Amino acid sequence: HKMEQAQGHVGGGPLIVLTDADTAGRQCRIALNNHFPSIRHAFISALQSMSNKQTRHHQAGNIGVEHAPPEVIFAALSNARVYSPNRKQFSSENLEMWGLAGSFGQLGVNANQGNISERRKKVGEALGFGNASGKAFLKCINEYGFEEDEIELAISRSENGRI
């Protein structure tokens, strides 16, 4: 019933979703995609949406869109992406090439980059959808229209601690 009510409130403009860069945010996007096929998605990196101080509501380091500066939110909304469930630009081979998938416990491109799941988590946070399994990561970069240069920039930033 709630989704049907929400559909009546969308009106003529695009519906843009901006969620936290975490698993709950990714799950929310999936649920909304099922009800609103023309939905657009905005992404903010974990670093851009991290609280710098502790308050009575959250710890320092808490990730949430409410902590992002207005200009970051505006930029994310201005660059909202169309959900394209049939887009298959990248494959598991791409993830392996980038050191984001491989054998369980395998190290990334070099031993200084840590294990693959930690590396993938950092890149997912840099892209704004958070920690994801290899399969979920691949689904996100394909269906939300990420391009190779964006992914490679996120990899570079995550390696340099600038998620």
Side-chain angles (χ1 to χ4, degrees):
H1 289 83
K2 295 280 185 195
M3 285 295 184
E4 291 168 4
Q5 289 174 337
Q7 269 182 312
H9 294 290
V10 173
L15 178 63
I16 300 175
V17 174
L18 174 62
T19 67
D20 295 348
D22 59 13
T23 301
R26 196 173 58 257
Q27 290 171 341
C28 180
R29 290 177 193 278
I30 291 167
L32 290 169
N33 285 335
N34 292 331
H35 293 281
F36 304 101
S38 61
I39 198 168
R40 296 177 66 86
H41 295 270
F43 294 88
I44 296 177
S45 76
L47 184 63
Q48 292 174 311
S49 61
M50 187 179 297
S51 171
N52 294 325
K53 58 186 174 186
Q54 181 174 333
T55 71
R56 63 187 181 133
H57 302 291
H58 57 75
Q59 299 290 323
N62 180 57
I63 295 173
V65 295
E66 69 273 18
H67 307 302
E71 61 274 10
V72 169
I73 293 172
F74 180 75
L77 293 173
S78 298
N79 294 305
R81 300 166 179 277
V82 175
Y83 172 67
S84 304
N86 297 320
R87 183 175 183 257
K88 305 285 186 237
Q89 181 170 341
F90 303 109
S91 68
S92 57
E93 287 78 24
N94 293 102
L95 295 186
E96 290 175 15
M97 179 184 71
W98 293 322
L100 301 174
S103 302
F104 181 75
Q106 177 183 344
L107 294 179
V109 175
N110 68 54
N112 295 329
Q113 294 171 343
N115 72 37
I116 287 173
S117 62
E118 183 62 28
R119 183 172 158 80
R120 191 173 50 244
K121 175 185 177 199
K122 289 178 181 178
V123 176
E125 288 175 349
L127 291 171
F129 55 79
N131 193 10
S133 67
K135 183 177 178 179
F137 188 99
L138 187 59
K139 189 172 175 73
C140 284
I141 62 174
N142 276 321
E143 294 181 356
Y144 297 120
F146 286 94
E147 297 297 336
E148 189 168 353
D149 60 334
E150 293 175 290
I151 298 162
E152 289 176 351
L153 179 61
I155 291 168
S156 174
R157 286 184 173 166
S158 68
E159 288 171 353
N160 295 317
R162 297 184 331 234
I163 302 171

